[in-house]
Amino acid sequence: MATAVDSQAIPRQAPPELRRWVEQAAMRTRPGRIHWCDGSSAEYRLLIRQMLASKDLHELNPATHPGCYLHRSHPSDVARVEHLTFVCSEQQEDAGPNNNWMAPAEARRKMDALFDGCMRGRTMYVVPYCMGPIDSPYSRCGVEITDSAYVAANMKLMTRMGAGALARIARDPNFVKGLHSIGELDPERRFIMHFPESLEIQSFGSGYGGNALLGKKCHALRIASWQARREGWLAEHMMIVGVENPAGEVHYIACAFPSACGKTNLAMLIPPASMPGWKVWTIGDDIGWLHPGPDGRLWAINPEDGYFGVVPGTNAKTNRHAYEMIRHDTIFTNVGLTADNQPWWEGLEEGTPVTDWQGRPYDPAMGPAAHPNSRFTVSARQNPSYSPKADAPEGVPISALVFGGRRRALAPLVFQARDWRHGVLVGAAMASETTAAATGDVGVVRRDPMAMKPFAGYNFGDYWRHWLSMANRVPRLPGIFQVNWFRRDAGGRFLWPGYGENLRVLAWIIERCKGHAAADETPIGAVPRKDALNLAGLGLADATVAELLSVDVAQWRKEAAEIGSYLESFGSRLPEELRVELAQLRARLG
Ligand code: OXD
Ligand code: MN
């Protein structure tokens, strides 16, 4: 039998401000019990036992997947809800046209009504967490109050949660306050509100990761981007990877791609057989915090300590490290099941599903067995390519920043921006086809600057100004590149093999940063000379390579005009420097 979590004791280190806030939250929400999370393994096991008893979790086959569980979320609660996500800054202009905005007083009134008594009969978990290595000056802390044991358990996997974080908060009580309740999981009573000026988040009515694990998108991107501007650093939707060449030299690259565009695969890339001696080390798969370092370079930490990754498509060939990593001690959300109780998803390439993600007998006529946005939650330390530098308080020095998107046409495989200011324009002009990570249409091209459209906690005009200002703060800036793994031919087939072969492109990027690899200047930037890119053994036809690296000036003229209209929608907040940079691009395009 499961034992109830029933520790009413307030930890001795909890500072008065935190105690007061927890007390106020309890007065509002009226929980049956309060549990302060200590982050121990025993506590995690207890949470799991409770969720097995309440049927919030289902144990997977312990022989094939020890320590693995399946959670089925409410079918209306399977992705981020951008239309219900608000930035509630005092001034609407500060949130910008890139965010939904609500006046803070109105948002508070709305949320007060929702939170009123919502935890009656439930346990309130108080989850102190640290985003980033516990002893890093670049890390920031938060506390999430939630009535979901699933959220508390996921936060244990995703962050440095518990006693260590609380000790840090006791030293510096400037923490982000996140209040979360699953409510009734009613989409009509669902809101994700951010109050950046007071470092607060209030999330109601969803148990889905991006809406409910408040350390991730809400804190580490929306609130942190606001903090970062104030404090002179960048909080970005970027994976960070260390690429080691056969000489043992490691270069760190940070890449911003929109949701579900392969950041996790790239972060765990297995070098192809044609590149012996190369190694890839994962620092992070989703978020990077970039700080001007003491040596004049940009240094990065991954604020997270786990992965909340998209499951479909993961197999031993596409991402062997992820495939191995999620065979034990993993929480799966919304995957299907085989007859012998193993998790199953589209693209697994083994086993047969008998039950779909909603627990119904699997019938292909009713849709996929796993939800397209089904997820795994797992500690980063289970990743075979985990870099010990992910725990380094000083972070890692960044050699290159890479923007990428999912574009079937137009964008070449890779190009390098001319300089920092041009690179900021390249990032601001990014566009990508939408994916299942958020509710809404899939496959529609939308502008997604720096892959931050759903995550920048303030006006993009100010955000680009802040990016431009890094040129004055960081004397040794990294190079900026753009990649597109998703270009297709007229028949819809991908032109580039992707996955491990993407290392060939990273190798060119690194050589460029060292001033070696050859490139042809084009109006949009420097594209690799065909012989500067290692294409050995890929069997790509010359015409395919030419198409991958081609820049269609007529199409780019049209694109530049669209970029112009998009940027102008930010009106007086658009930095003049970007206008000038775009005018220069248009002049080069003729
Ligand atoms: C994610 C996302 O879950 O970007 O990482 O949606
Ligand atoms: Mn993401």
Side-chain angles (χ1 to χ4, degrees), residues 188-264:
E188 300 299 320
R189 287 164 51 83
R190 181 174 294 160
F191 285 105
I192 325 295
M193 302 285 193
H194 302 76
F195 303 89
E197 280 120 342
S198 54
L199 304 185
E200 277 175 279
I201 304 158
Q202 297 190 17
S203 167
F204 191 91
S206 169
Y208 172 75
N211 305 325
L213 308 178
L214 300 186
K216 194 174 180 63
K217 304 301 188 181
C218 300
H219 176 162
L221 288 175
R222 297 195 193 97
I223 298 284
S225 59
W226 184 289
Q227 279 183 303
R229 178 171 56 138
R230 221 177 34 210
E231 298 171 8
W233 48 282
L234 297 168
E236 298 301 323
H237 192 202
M238 288 179 174
M239 53 71 85
I240 306 161
V241 80
V243 178
E244 182 174 334
N245 67 18
E249 197 181 278
V250 184
H251 282 268
Y252 293 94
I253 301 181
C255 307
F257 302 164
S259 309
C261 284
K263 284 205 300 295
T264 304

Side-chain angles (χ1 to χ4, degrees), residues 234 238 251-255 290-293 295-300 396-403 416-424 467 470-471 473-481 509-510 512-514:
L234 297 168
M238 288 179 174
H251 282 268
Y252 293 94
I253 301 181
C255 307
L290 313 175
H291 288 256
D295 64 351
R297 288 186 292 177
L298 203 52
W299 288 69
V396 294
I398 297 297
S399 300
L401 297 178
V402 181
F403 297 121
Q416 180 177 17
R418 299 156 71 89
D419 54 23
W420 184 259
R421 193 174 78 170
H422 178 224
V424 176
W467 261 81
M470 296 308 275
R473 299 173 209 260
V474 183
R476 295 165 66 196
L477 283 165
I480 297 185
F481 298 78
I509 288 176
I510 290 168
R512 271 310 275 178
C513 291
K514 297 197 312 196

